[in-house]
Amino acid sequence: HKAGLKGANTTEINPDTAEELGIKDGDAVLLESPKGTIKVRAKLYEGAMPQVVNVPLGQGHTAYGRWADGHGANANVLLGGALDPFTGLPLSNQTRIRIRKA
């Protein structure tokens, strides 16, 4: 693990997109939206769509004991306020973010 990212979740980035941004596998990156910012580790992945980042949900807890507290980043802080009218869940695939090296 790179310094300061122990327990951090990753974001999958297409290698071509990462190269355009000067990002290498394992780099610390910031994902920023109008709603918030998280720090994660870049994972270059051929299966990631170019110009799109994939971030797993379910990390970044602020409680739940020593095994969960403070591990990873909560990607929900990036999501906008739009909700799916059928499920009531956030429309995460419509959130535009900026990605840069941390």
Side-chain angles (χ1 to χ4, degrees), residues 29-95:
V29 295
L30 294 175
L31 304 181
E32 302 169 317
S33 81
K35 296 289 184 173
T37 302
I38 62 173
K39 185 176 181 180
V40 294
R41 188 178 326 113
K43 175 65 180 159
L44 304 191
Y45 176 57
E46 288 283 340
M49 187 176 194
Q51 306 301 316
V52 173
V53 296
N54 305 313
V55 182
L57 298 176
Q59 293 189 13
H61 296 287
T62 57
Y64 304 116
R66 67 180 179 182
W67 301 112
D69 186 21
H71 290 275
N74 185 349
N76 286 319
V77 303
L78 300 172
L79 302 180
L83 301 177
D84 182 295
F86 297 107
T87 65
L89 297 172
L91 291 170
S92 56
N93 60 342
Q94 293 186 6
T95 301

Side-chain angles (χ1 to χ4, degrees), residues 2 11 13 18 23-28 41-45:
K2 296 205 177 195
T11 182
I13 306 170
I23 295 171
K24 294 184 174 41
D25 195 59
D27 280 351
R41 188 178 326 113
K43 175 65 180 159
L44 304 191
Y45 176 57

